[in-house]
C-alpha cells in the first residue's frame, strides 16, 4: 500500500502503476496535467486533488485529466477544471475499458464539453453519483474515434449516474487558481 499526500505538479502526469495506491491532496495544473491509473491496477484511490487547465486530447494519447485504466478505482472529492482547448477530443475522466468497476463520486467536474471519455462502446460498469457537472449545461460522454454517438451524461441510467447536479460551481477565483 502506498499513500501519496500533497504536492504540486505543473504540466505533467502522475502515474499510478500498481495496486492499492492512494493519491490524496495533490495540485496538478497546465495543459498536460493528468493522473493516470495503469492497466490492471486494482484498488487505487484518487481523492481530494485539484486538476486545472488540462487539455486532454485522445488523438495525442492524453485521454483525460484522470485516465482510469485500472479495476475498482475510487475517484472521489476531486475538482477537475479542463482548459478551453479540450474541445471534443478530451474529457475530465477517461475510462479505458467499459468494465472498470470504478466508483466516481463527490467530484466537481467543470468542462467546456466532455465529462467522460470511454475507449469502447457500451454501458460502462461504473457507479457515478453525487457529482457536480459545471461549465456546460449538457456535459457529454465521448468515444474513441467516435465509435458511438456522443451522449449527454444525463442520459446514463440512474443505476450508473445517480444524484448528479448541474450548475456553476462558483469558484472563488478560477483565473487565479483558487477553486475553493
Amino acid at each position: 500500500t502506498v499513500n501519496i499526500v500533497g504536492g504540486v505538479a505543473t504540466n505533467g502526469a502522475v502515474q499510478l502503476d500498481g495496486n492499492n495506491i492512494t493519491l490524496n491532496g495533490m495540485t496538478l495544473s497546465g495543459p498536460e496535467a493528468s493522473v493516470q491509473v495503469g492497466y490492471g491496477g486494482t484498488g487505487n484511490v484518487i481523492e481530494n486533488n485539484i486538476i486545472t487547465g488540462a487539455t486532454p486530447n485522445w488523438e495525442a494519447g492524453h485521454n483525460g485529466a484522470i485516465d482510469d485504466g485500472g479495476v475498482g478505482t475510487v475517484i472521489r472529492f476531486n475538482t477537475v477544471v479542463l482548459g478551453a482547448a479540450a474541445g471534443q477530443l478530451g474529457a475530465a475522466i477517461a475510462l479505458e475499458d467499459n468494465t472498470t468497476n470504478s466508483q466516481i463520486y463527490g467530484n466537481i467536474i467543470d468542462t467546456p464539453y466532455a465529462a467522460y471519455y470511454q475507449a469502447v462502446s457500451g454501458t460502462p460498469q461504473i457507479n457515478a453519483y453525487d457529482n457536480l457537472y459545471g461549465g456546460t449545461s449538457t456535459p457529454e460522454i465521448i468515444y474513441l474515434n467516435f465509435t458511438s454517438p456522443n451522449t449527454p451524461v444525463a442520459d446514463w441510467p440512474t443505476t450508473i449516474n445517480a444524484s448528479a447536479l448541474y450548475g456553476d460551481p462558483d469558484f472563488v477565483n478560477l483565473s487565479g487558481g483558487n477553486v475553493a
Side-chain angles (χ1 to χ4, degrees), residues 55-60 62-64 85-91 113-114 117 142 146:
T55 56
N57 179 337
W58 52 255
E59 288 182 331
H62 181 201
N63 303 329
Q88 295 185 19
L89 299 176
Y113 182 70
Y117 155 96
I142 60 174
F146 306 105

Side-chain angles (χ1 to χ4, degrees), residues 3 8-9 22 30 32 39 45-46 49 56 64 70 124 129 132 166 168-169:
N3 191 15
V8 174
T22 297
E32 298 296 319
Y39 285 100
V45 177
I46 302 166
N49 299 290
Y129 55 95
L132 170 64
Y166 301 89
D168 183 355

Side-chain angles (χ1 to χ4, degrees), residues 26-49:
M26 185 169 229
T27 300
L28 299 98
S29 63
E32 298 296 319
S34 68
V35 176
Q36 301 171 353
V37 179
Y39 285 100
T42 61
N44 293 305
V45 177
I46 302 166
E47 63 185 3
N48 303 312
N49 299 290

